């Protein structure tokens, strides 16, 4: 949009006056933020309305991305950037004597997600708007997002994330005309209607109102705004008498009260099933209604609508869609089924079997009696069809939906849809070969890969403005619109002046982070040190503990020889553990105790520092990632489906230190073997161990004196205040045979770390590697990932 600085200043002063009845000097940062957000809303409202009108007039096909998580982080700055008015606003503020940064940080992160999966969903929303495809999000409007993490005495403490604060969500718009009702519980039986057709009768069901709130998703400089629709729950007025006690009402409000903070193992909680169904049913009901307004036949709905199932959390979708088409709109089963399969598609985000959702059939039946009957019918028909085709009985048993009293949600998603995709090449191969192999033999045509991506605008233009300015000076600013222009940087990787410039940019980012570290932890770190970063959810398979083992080794090296020749290192961690995940919490405690041991030991001469930054979230990532020299991506090969922070580090010039897992493999392919540091077993070597059952961690421990000493450190009192946690770690590694092969990969990891040390000493060589990473990171733009979804799965037009 067009906006002059003068106009903006006038508008801003007027809005502040109207909304807050005050003038600039008196306003708090949060009042300034709210005012600016309200003004920005005014600026984009007509564009938003036009977009919605145009889509329905032109009867465009729309994809709906169903996800129980969306993790956008702060919205103000991206909204301004995408509207093309960020610089104007900054200049206007400067003239008004307002520091833009103070105002920006008054916005609370929108953290309706745990980690990778939720962040990917948010990235896709941005990229759908930016590429111009009609794609809308569908999720839940949680009152509390992912918990706020505080570290007290080295332990993680979880606090509620009251992100609405006093100002609510300034970006959302409540859409009362689109409310729908969702039915849960009760009994359902079939009864013949006047035409003699069996129809379901609901008896004693709980009826809840789903109220949508739309959050605009603004495309980058293209006048396109899509919707992210988040559902809230309310008690319909006509049923209020059913909820006389406050407690009864609270049970309803619980449905959208909190995001489940577990991103690891599946838990069969009733409330979770209710959440999943609530958002899925509400979303599908409005989709069908708005389709029918176009006057088109329902059996062709797949021509205008795609429904994407982001992991299995919305996987009840095929069954609920069938319920709506058959029960509510009277379609014949077979016709409805064809439309359903053509409408639905599914992304798998994990091969860990403990994360695959399976619902207890009795629980499912109790919560969703009619959907349960439909699931049984889908399952029966699937089994019969496969048997008629002569499919092996064991394969049928492995792939059916209902068995052993459980409902397998991944199976429902695959059978009920036309597409299944993994999120990186290796991950998709593993799905085909292993996790979903039987399905692959039945439906090879459904399988495809869509390697994840990131919103480059947030990670460069917003998180790394100095880097962005340096890019402008080196290759022009075309890369801001077309990220593939980053490749022009390949022509400058050997240019000493360019190397210096980008080295300095990194130093500046490190200085900013160092100031934050000093501020929040009191620890002083030198920007001459290598900033070695591992930020992600805490999980055994991600192997933060392997990083810790290496730190302990360095600690002993320095204790033995204080003059050891090494480039100083700052190891930086950020990680939340699921509240019930004991082992992960123990690792956090140990990192913190190890940090205070090391950071306070003067004999180490400042060569080693360990920092744990609390409450890792999107905003903190924006500060940390551009300041990293080394990006730790050290999961056990085969376990990390893709990873996405690896891409953000690469794009901002960190060197990836990685196993051949997830998208690390594709990073290596893009940047070349010389510009990444790879170590450890590959997936085949890991699988060989599984097949041969030949891994014995105690043997490694007993035969390798370095490892022996490192492991003993957990239990011999060296690290203070964590006897119990140290013992738990010792037992995981030795008694329980080191499930994630840390000891097996340790030696190779240490060597890789030594390579990092050696490489960093050659400033020119390191700078060249860093530039090569930035220059070849364009493959990982989520704009391209979403284009592939749109063209290959959803069949959308721009
Ligand atoms: C399931 C049932 C009950 C409660 C919670 C859950 C649950 C919630 C979140 C299970 C899993 C998640 C999140 C998974 C996740 O973030 N996976 C990551 O997805 C990224 C995007 O594809 C990948 O890059 C990561 O490799 C993958 O770990």
């Amino acid at each position: 949009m067009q906006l002059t600085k003068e106009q903006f200043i006038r508008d801003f002063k007027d809005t502040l006056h109207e909304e807050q009845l005050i003038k600039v000097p008196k306003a708090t940062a949060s009042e300034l933020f709210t005012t600016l957000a309200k003004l920005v809303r005014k600026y984009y409202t007509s564009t938003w309305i036009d977009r919605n009108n145009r889509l329905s007039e032109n009867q465009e096909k729309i994809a709906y991305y169903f996800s129980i998580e969306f993790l956008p982080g702060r919205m103000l700055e991206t909204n301004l950037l995408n509207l093309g008015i960020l610089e104007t606003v900054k200049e206007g503020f400067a003239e008004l004597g307002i520091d833009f940064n103070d105002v920006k940080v008054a916005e609370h992160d929108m953290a309706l997600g745990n980690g990778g999966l939720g962040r990917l969903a948010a990235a896709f929303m941005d990229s759908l708007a930016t590429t111009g495809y009609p794609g809308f999000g569908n999720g839940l409007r949680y009152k509390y997002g992912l918990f706020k993490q505080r570290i007290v005495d080295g332990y993680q403490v979880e606090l509620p994330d009251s992100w609405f604060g006093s100002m609510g969500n300034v970006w959302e718009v409540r859409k009362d005309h689109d409310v729908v009702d969702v039915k849960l519980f009760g009994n359902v039986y079939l009864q013949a209607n006047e035409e003699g057709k069996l129809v379901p009768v609901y008896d004693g069901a709980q009826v809840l109102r789903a109220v949508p709130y739309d959050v605009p998703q603004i495309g980058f400089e293209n006048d396109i705004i899509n919707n992210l629709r988040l559902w809230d729950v309310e008690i319909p007025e006509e049923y209020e008498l059913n909820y006389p006690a406050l407690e009864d009402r609270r049970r309803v409000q619980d449905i959208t009260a909190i995001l489940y903070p577990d991103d690891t193992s599946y838990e069969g909680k009733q409330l979770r099933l209710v959440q999943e169904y609530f958002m899925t049913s509400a979303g599908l009901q409005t989709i069908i209604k708005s389709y029918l307004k176009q006057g088109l036949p329902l059996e062709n709905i797949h021509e205008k609508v795609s429904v994407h199932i982001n992991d299995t959390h919305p996987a009840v979708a095929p069954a609920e869609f069938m319920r709506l088409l058959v029960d509510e709109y009277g379609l014949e089963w077979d016709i409805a089924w064809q439309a359903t399969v053509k409408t639905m598609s599914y992304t798998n985000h994990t091969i860990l079997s403990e994360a695959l959702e399976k619902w207890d059939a009795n629980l499912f039946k109790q919560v969703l009696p009619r959907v349960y009957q439909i699931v049984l019918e889908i399952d029966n028909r699937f089994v019969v069809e496969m048997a008629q085709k002569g499919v092996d009985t064991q394969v049928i048993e492995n792939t059916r939906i209902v068995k052993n009293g459980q409902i397998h949600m991944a199976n429902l998603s695959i059978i009920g849809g036309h597409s299944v995709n993994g999120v990186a090449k290796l991950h998709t191969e593993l799905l085909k070969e292993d996790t979903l192999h039987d399905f692959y033999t039945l439906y090879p045509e459904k399988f495809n890969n869509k390697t994840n991506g990131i919103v480059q605008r947030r990670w460069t233009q917003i998180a790394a403005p100095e880097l962005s300015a340096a890019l402008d000076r080196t290759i022009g600013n075309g890369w801001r619109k077309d990220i593939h222009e980053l490749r022009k940087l390949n022509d400058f990787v050997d240019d000493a002046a360019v190397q210096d410039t980008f080295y300095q940019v990194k130093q500046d980012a490190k200085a900013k982070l160092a100031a934050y570290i000093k501020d929040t932890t009191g620890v002083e770190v030198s920007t001459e040190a290598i900033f070695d970063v591992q930020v992600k959810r805490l999980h055994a398979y991600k192997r933060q503990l392997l990083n810790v083992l290496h730190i302990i080794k360095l600690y002993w090296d320095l204790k033995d020889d204080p003059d050891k020749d090494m480039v100083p290192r700052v190891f930086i961690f950020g990680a939340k553990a699921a509240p019930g995940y004991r082992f992960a919490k123990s690792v956090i405690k140990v990192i913190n105790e190890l940090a205070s041991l090391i950071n306070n030991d003067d004999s180490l001469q400042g060569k080693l520092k360990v920092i744990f930054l609390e409450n890792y979230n999107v905003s903190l990532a924006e500060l940390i990632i551009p300041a990293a020299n080394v990006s730790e991506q050290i999961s056990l090969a085969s376990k990390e489906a893709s990873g996405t922070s690896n891409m953000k580090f690469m794009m901002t010039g960190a060197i990836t230190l990685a196993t051949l897992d997830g998208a690390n493999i594709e990073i290596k392919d893009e940047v070349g073997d010389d510009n990444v540091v790879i170590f450890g077993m590959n997936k085949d070597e890991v699988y060989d161990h599984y097949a041969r059952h030949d891994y014995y961690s105690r043997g490694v421990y007993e035969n390798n004196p370095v490892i022996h000493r490192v492991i003993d450190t957990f239990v011999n009192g060296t690290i203070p205040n964590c006897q119990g946690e140290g013992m738990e770690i010792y037992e995981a590694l030795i008694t329980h045979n080191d499930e994630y092969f840390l000891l097996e990969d340790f030696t190779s990891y240490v060597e890789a770390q030594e390579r990092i040390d050696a490489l960093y000493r050659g400033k020119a060589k390191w700078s060249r590697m860093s530039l090569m990473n930035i220059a070849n990171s364009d493959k990982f733009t989520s704009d391209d990932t979403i284009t592939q979804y749109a063209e290959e799965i959803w069949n959308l037009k721009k």
Side-chain angles (χ1 to χ4, degrees):
M1 66 172 282
Q2 298 298 321
L3 181 70
T4 64
K5 184 178 70 182
E6 291 68 29
Q7 182 65 44
F8 167 69
I9 291 175
R10 269 199 303 276
D11 292 348
F12 186 79
K13 283 181 170 167
D14 288 350
T15 315
L16 186 63
H17 201 79
E18 286 161 24
E19 296 283 340
Q20 316 277 358
L21 309 173
I22 46 170
K23 295 206 161 129
V24 173
K26 283 245 165 90
T28 65
S30 121
E31 285 167 333
L32 293 170
F33 165 73
T34 313
T35 306
L36 179 56
K38 286 190 173 155
L39 177 58
V40 173
R41 271 177 68 146
K42 253 189 247 168
Y43 286 155
Y44 64 58
T45 298
S46 63
T47 312
W48 195 8
I49 295 172
D50 287 352
R51 166 72 166 175
N52 285 321
N53 290 343
R54 240 180 306 143
L55 285 178
S56 48
E57 275 162 25
N58 301 344
Q59 304 199 335
E60 303 272 9
K61 182 168 186 184
I62 300 177
Y64 296 88
Y65 195 82
F66 278 47
S67 179
I68 203 145
E69 302 193 2
F70 287 92
L71 181 46
R74 292 190 178 118
M75 306 280 283
L76 173 67
E77 201 172 1
T78 33
N79 284 350
L80 293 171
L81 178 80
N82 290 2
L83 289 169
I85 58 173
L86 179 59
E87 284 317 308
T88 312
V89 167
K90 282 185 177 171
E91 286 162 19
F93 267 14
E95 203 161 307
L96 290 168
I98 305 170
D99 184 343
F100 178 77
N101 214 52
D102 294 346
V103 176
K104 157 189 167 170
V105 299
E107 179 176 13
H108 201 100
D109 270 40
M110 186 171 172
L112 311 185
N114 272 286
L117 171 146
R119 180 59 218 154
L120 185 76
F124 283 177
M125 289 299 106
D126 185 315
S127 284
L128 277 166
T130 295
T131 51
Y133 287 108
F136 291 2
N138 190 80
L140 284 177
R141 181 177 177 267
Y142 302 103
K143 189 159 176 209
Y144 297 97
L146 186 63
F147 64 86
K148 181 157 85 178
Q149 181 195 51
R150 288 283 167 258
I151 301 296
V152 179
D153 295 334
Y155 293 106
Q156 164 173 299
V157 175
E158 300 104 31
L159 299 172
D161 167 53
S162 348
W163 72 288
F164 284 157
S166 52
M167 48 194 169
N169 175 8
V170 288
W171 306 111
E172 71 186 8
V173 177
R174 182 184 163 109
K175 292 279 174 67
D176 276 300
H177 58 274
D178 279 344
V179 300
V180 291
D181 286 350
V182 174
K183 287 201 255 321
L184 299 154
F185 302 102
N187 287 311
V188 170
Y189 53 90
L190 298 176
Q191 203 175 49
N193 65 7
E194 303 98 68
E195 296 143 36
K197 202 173 152 186
L198 285 178
V199 294
V201 179
Y202 290 77
D203 181 24
Q206 181 184 29
V207 182
L208 295 174
R209 189 137 302 158
V211 183
Y213 290 78
D214 286 354
V215 183
Q217 303 297 307
I218 303 174
F220 180 64
E221 295 185 349
N222 66 357
D223 289 329
I224 286 181
I225 302 183
N226 291 335
N227 290 352
L228 165 56
R229 173 157 284 190
L230 300 177
W231 294 97
D232 201 357
V233 66
E234 286 179 14
I235 294 167
E237 234 176 63
E238 57 270 39
Y239 297 103
E240 266 187 330
L241 281 175
N242 295 353
Y243 304 89
L246 215 55
E247 253 172 80
D248 303 326
R249 296 179 157 259
R250 209 164 285 146
R251 254 195 293 281
V252 171
Q253 288 159 0
D254 274 350
I255 297 174
T256 54
I258 56 162
L259 166 82
Y260 269 73
D262 198 337
D263 70 333
T264 53
S265 55
Y266 157 75
E267 253 192 294
K269 291 258 171 71
Q270 177 178 305
L271 178 61
R272 175 79 179 183
L273 179 60
V274 171
Q275 287 188 330
E276 296 183 352
Y277 180 70
F278 184 77
M279 72 154 203
T280 305
S281 176
L284 292 177
Q285 288 186 55
T286 36
I287 288 167
I288 293 175
K289 279 189 188 159
S290 74
Y291 170 78
L292 287 175
K293 275 194 203 139
Q294 302 180 31
L296 298 168
L298 196 50
E299 59 267 30
N300 295 340
I301 187 164
H302 53 275
E303 291 174 7
K304 298 292 174 194
V305 169
S306 276
V307 170
H308 200 79
I309 303 171
N310 190 32
D311 218 279
T312 53
H313 319 138
V316 66
E320 172 65 3
F321 204 57
M322 283 299 287
R323 185 187 73 79
L324 291 165
L325 297 184
V326 174
D327 288 357
E328 310 277 328
Y329 293 98
L331 248 54
E332 292 301 326
W333 181 280
D334 288 328
I335 289 172
W337 181 246
Q338 281 191 21
T340 299
V341 171
K342 287 181 185 160
T343 301
M344 303 284 155
S345 49
Y346 155 64
T347 297
N348 173 289
H349 293 266
T350 185
I351 63 154
L352 303 179
S353 56
E354 67 264 30
L356 291 181
E357 281 187 301
K358 299 177 258 309
W359 290 105
D360 176 77
N362 287 321
L363 172 72
F364 197 95
K365 182 180 175 187
Q366 187 202 340
V367 179
L368 310 172
R370 178 59 182 154
V371 180
Y372 177 69
Q373 294 172 348
I374 289 174
V375 169
L376 289 185
E377 184 65 24
I378 295 172
D379 182 57
N380 285 334
R381 286 176 185 242
F382 169 76
V383 170
V384 169
E385 184 196 331
M386 290 299 138
Q388 278 169 355
K389 280 190 183 159
V391 172
D392 179 78
T393 48
Q394 192 55 51
V395 172
I396 298 178
E397 200 51 29
N398 293 346
T399 50
R400 68 183 297 177
I401 301 162
V402 188
K403 56 191 159 184
N404 308 323
Q406 290 191 308
I407 303 184
H408 293 248
M409 302 309 281
N411 300 9
L412 177 56
S413 315
I414 299 167
I415 293 165
H418 65 281
S419 171
V420 189
N421 74 280
V423 290
K425 275 185 199 157
L426 176 71
H427 173 57
T428 302
E429 286 314 308
L430 284 165
L431 292 179
K432 291 196 224 172
E433 272 168 26
D434 189 30
T435 321
L436 303 176
H437 178 71
D438 288 326
F439 279 113
Y440 183 56
T441 63
L442 298 181
Y443 308 116
E445 72 290 348
K446 289 192 185 185
F447 283 74
N448 61 93
N449 175 246
K450 297 285 170 282
T451 298
N452 285 163
I454 57 169
V455 182
Q456 71 271 16
R457 292 167 289 280
R458 181 178 288 265
W459 304 101
T460 56
Q461 300 187 58
I462 286 176
E466 292 82 8
L467 175 76
S468 303
L471 284 168
D472 289 348
R473 292 196 299 277
T474 314
I475 56 170
N477 62 8
W479 67 275
R480 289 178 184 255
K481 186 97 187 153
D482 175 11
I483 194 69
H484 302 297
E485 287 200 14
L486 273 187
R487 292 197 166 256
K488 289 183 178 172
L489 197 58
N490 279 303
D491 295 340
F492 297 90
V493 294
D494 292 307
D495 182 324
V498 172
Q499 288 176 359
D500 274 353
T501 304
F502 283 82
Y503 185 87
Q504 198 48 53
V505 161
K506 184 63 86 180
Q507 286 304 107
D508 294 346
K510 286 166 76 175
K512 259 203 256 174
L513 178 58
Y516 180 84
I517 290 172
K518 173 85 180 119
D519 228 39
T520 51
T521 68
V523 179
E524 218 147 321
V525 298
S526 161
T527 55
E528 293 308 306
I530 299 173
F531 277 25
D532 184 318
V533 182
Q534 188 171 19
V535 283
K536 47 185 81 255
R537 283 299 285 261
L538 214 139
H539 198 295
Y541 83 80
K542 295 180 189 279
R543 302 201 296 190
Q544 279 94 349
L545 192 54
L546 179 58
N547 193 341
V548 172
L549 298 184
H550 171 245
I551 295 170
I552 295 175
K553 177 193 178 281
L554 288 181
Y555 172 75
W556 288 125
D557 287 353
L558 284 167
K559 291 308 267 185
D560 292 349
D561 172 15
D563 297 326
K564 175 184 160 84
D565 181 24
M566 66 174 273
V567 183
R569 249 338 148 114
V570 182
F571 290 96
I572 298 164
F573 292 90
K576 288 181 182 175
Y581 191 172
R582 222 186 111 111
F583 176 80
K585 290 182 138 178
S586 295
V587 173
I588 290 179
K589 170 70 170 165
V590 166
I591 293 174
N592 282 306
E593 293 300 339
L594 185 64
S596 66
L597 173 75
I598 288 176
N599 298 340
N600 295 310
D601 187 336
D602 290 339
S603 78
L604 305 178
Q605 304 173 34
K607 286 180 184 170
L608 196 55
K609 295 275 172 190
V610 179
I611 304 295
F612 187 99
L613 291 175
E614 65 183 3
N615 203 35
Y616 179 64
N617 61 10
V618 174
S619 289
L620 194 50
E622 290 172 19
L623 177 69
I624 296 174
I625 291 174
N629 297 119
V630 176
S631 155
E632 298 264 0
Q633 309 299 338
I634 61 179
S635 52
L636 176 66
S638 78
K639 299 293 180 195
E640 189 69 89
S642 160
T644 41
S645 76
N646 45 2
M647 302 165 183
K648 299 163 194 168
F649 281 105
M650 177 196 193
M651 197 173 274
T652 48
I655 307 305
T656 309
L657 169 56
T659 48
L660 289 175
D661 199 13
N664 302 343
I665 296 172
E666 288 158 77
I667 288 179
K668 174 177 102 48
D669 291 345
E670 290 304 298
V671 85
D673 292 352
D674 292 343
N675 299 302
V676 53
V677 177
I678 300 293
F679 75 97
M681 288 187 284
N682 62 27
K683 159 236 152 196
D684 290 331
E685 290 163 326
V686 173
Y687 273 53
D688 281 349
H689 276 307
Y690 291 149
R692 291 199 222 107
H693 298 282
D694 62 353
Y695 182 57
Y696 181 52
S697 66
R698 190 182 290 276
V700 183
Y701 168 67
E702 277 165 1
N703 291 314
N704 183 323
V706 177
I707 290 180
H708 202 291
R709 190 180 187 193
V710 167
I711 300 292
D712 286 353
T713 308
F714 290 105
V715 285
N716 65 11
T718 307
I719 311 172
N721 309 319
C722 50
Q723 247 191 332
E725 292 81 9
M727 195 60 206
E728 190 183 345
I729 287 169
Y730 178 91
E731 284 181 349
L733 294 178
I734 308 300
T735 322
H736 299 299
N737 204 31
D738 184 18
E739 190 181 348
Y740 296 101
F741 298 90
L742 278 68
L743 305 195
E744 171 91 7
D745 276 350
F746 177 79
T747 306
S748 147
Y749 181 56
V750 169
E751 277 166 23
Q753 286 285 19
E754 284 165 357
R755 256 181 288 156
I756 292 279
D757 181 284
L759 285 166
Y760 197 78
R761 291 165 195 247
K763 188 174 157 187
K765 174 83 198 299
W766 183 274
S767 298
R768 185 182 192 279
M769 288 174 74
S770 172
L771 284 167
M772 286 290 288
N773 272 274
I774 302 170
N776 296 290
S777 62
D778 59 322
K779 172 187 157 114
F780 300 107
T781 167
S782 50
D783 296 347
D784 287 358
T785 310
I786 213 64
T787 302
Q788 290 163 18
Y789 276 86
E791 289 175 357
E792 295 163 21
I793 300 178
W794 303 327
N795 202 6
L796 301 182
K797 292 200 188 59
K798 280 196 186 182

